[in-house]
C-alpha cells in the first residue's frame, strides 16, 4: 500500500485488546509423549511455554474475549466500527465467517465481516486492508482481529509442529489519528510455490502439482526458516524505504513470534540490537496471526511502546506470505495506555 498524501486522513490503531487462555503447557509436558526434552525445545526455538484453549474454547470465543478486554479499557472503542476483519487459519467454520460470529457477540451485527487467511502475516495484512476500506469510503472504522486455536489443528505427537504453536487473540480498531501519527506504508506479498512448506488441509487432499497434505498442520521447518530470515529482512527494508525511513529511525521492531533465531537473524540484517525488539514467544509460543497484536499490547502495557515512537511491523506465514508495515505510534486513547494489571499478561498462571 502506498503511503497516502499528507492531505488525506491519517489512519492508525485507535484501540487494542488481547486475550490468552488460562491453560499453560510447558516444554516438560512434551517429554513423555515424544523424543524431545525441555532444554532442546528452548534452545532451538526460544519457547518455554505456550497457552492452549480449553476443550470448548474456539477462535471466535477468544476473539470476543479480546474485544471485551479492549472494552474494559475503553467502553467507547467500538464506536463507528462498521467492518470486521478476522485474520485466522483456525476459523470456527469455513462459513459463517469467524468475523461475523465475533461481530454477533460484541454488538456489531450489520457490520461488514470477513475472514482473512494468510496465516502468521494475517494481522498486519488486516491493518493494511482495513486502511484501504476506510480510504475507499467503504468503512469508517474497522475492527481487525488476529485469533487462533492452533492447538486444535496440530498433531500433538509431531515434534516438528506440536512444540511450536499456542493459542491467543489480539484485536485493534483502525481509524483516524492525528496528523503525523499512524500508518506510513505497507509491503505485502505471497509465493504459492512455497505452499508445501507450511500448510493446513481443507477441501483438497493435494496442492496443485500433487503434494499430498495430511489432516494436521504440516511444515518443512528448514525451508520455512530460510524463507523467513530472507523475507523479513527484505520486506522490512522495502517498507522503510517506501516510508522514507532508515533503521536508525526505528524505535521498535515488532516481529512475528515464530522462533527467536529467526528474529535474531532479522535484527542482524537490520543492523539493530535485540534491545530494539520485543519478544514474548518464550511464554506464548507461535500464535500465528495473534503474535503481533499480543506483542503490541504487551509493549504498551509495560510502557516500552510510547506515544510518538516509530515502529516497524514484520511477519511471514503460510502462503508462503510476508508483510511489513511502518507506523508512528499514537497513544491518545484509554486502551492505548499502560495497564500492568491486565489479566492476559504473563503474570496469570492459569
Amino acid at each position: 500500500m502506498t503511503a497516502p498524501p499528507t492531505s488525506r486522513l491519517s489512519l492508525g490503531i485507535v484501540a487494542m485488546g488481547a486475550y490468552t487462555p488460562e491453560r499453560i503447557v510447558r516444554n516438560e509436558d512434551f517429554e513423555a509423549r515424544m523424543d524431545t526434552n525441555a532444554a532442546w525445545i528452548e534452545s532451538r526455538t526460544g519457547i518455554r511455554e505456550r497457552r492452549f484453549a480449553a476443550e470448548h474454547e474456539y477462535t471466535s470465543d477468544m476473539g470476543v474475549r479480546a474485544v471485551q478486554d479492549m472494552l474494559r479499557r475503553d467502553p467507547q472503542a467500538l464506536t463507528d466500527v462498521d467492518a470486521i476483519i478476522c485474520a485466522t487459519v483456525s476459523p470456527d467454520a469455513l462459513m459463517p465467517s469467524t468475523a461475523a460470529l465475533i461481530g454477533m457477540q460484541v454488538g456489531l451485527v450489520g457490520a461488514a465481516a470477513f475472514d482473512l487467511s494468510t496465516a502468521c502475516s494475517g494481522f498486519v495484512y488486516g491493518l493494511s486492508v482495513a486502511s484501504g476500506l476506510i480510504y475507499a469510503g467503504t468503512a469508517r472504522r474497522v475492527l481487525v482481529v488476529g485469533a487462533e486455536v492452533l492447538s486444535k489443528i496440530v498433531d500433538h505427537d509431531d515434534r516438528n509442529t506440536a512444540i511450536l504453536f499456542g493459542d491467543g487473540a489480539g484485536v485493534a480498531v483502525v481509524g483516524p489519528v492525528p496528523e503525523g501519527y499512524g500508518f506510513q506504508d505497507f509491503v505485502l506479498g505471497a509465493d504459492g510455490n512455497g505452499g508445501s512448506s507450511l500448510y493446513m488441509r481443507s477441501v483438497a487432499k493435494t496442492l496443485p502439482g500433487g503434494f499430498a497434505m495430511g489432516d494436521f498442520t504440516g511444515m518443512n521447518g528448514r525451508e520455512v526458516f530460510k524463507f523467513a530470515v530472507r523475507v523479513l529482512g527484505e520486506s522490512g527494508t522495502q517498507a522503510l524505504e517506501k516510508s522514507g525511513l532508515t533503521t536508525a529511525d526505528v524505535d521498535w521492531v515488532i516481529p512475528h513470534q515464530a522462533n527467536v533465531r529467526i528474529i535474531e537473524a532479522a535484527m542482524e540484517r537490520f543492523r539493530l540490537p535485540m534491545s530494539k525488539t520485543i519478544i514474548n514467544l518464550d511464554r506464548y509460543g507461535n500464535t500465528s496471526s495473534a503474535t503481533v497484536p499480543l506483542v503490541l499490547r504487551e509493549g504498551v502495557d509495560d510502557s516500552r511502546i510510547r506515544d510518538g515512537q516509530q515502529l516497524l511491523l514484520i511477519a511471514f506465514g503460510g502462503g508462503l506470505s510476508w508483510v511489513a508495515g511502518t507506523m508512528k505510534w499514537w497513544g491518545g486513547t484509554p486502551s492505548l495506555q499502560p495497564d500492568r494489571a491486565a489479566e492476559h499478561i504473563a503474570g496469570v498462571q492459569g
Side-chain angles (χ1 to χ4, degrees), residues 47 65 68 72 108 178-179 200 218 236 299 308-309 324-325 334 340:
I47 300 169
R65 293 290 294 272
Q68 291 171 341
R72 174 185 64 82
L108 292 177
E179 185 176 351
M200 177 64 203
Q309 289 185 328
R340 297 178 185 275

Side-chain angles (χ1 to χ4, degrees), residues 92-98 100-101 115:
D92 291 23
L94 292 179
M95 56 179 175
S97 71
T98 302
L101 296 178
D115 291 350

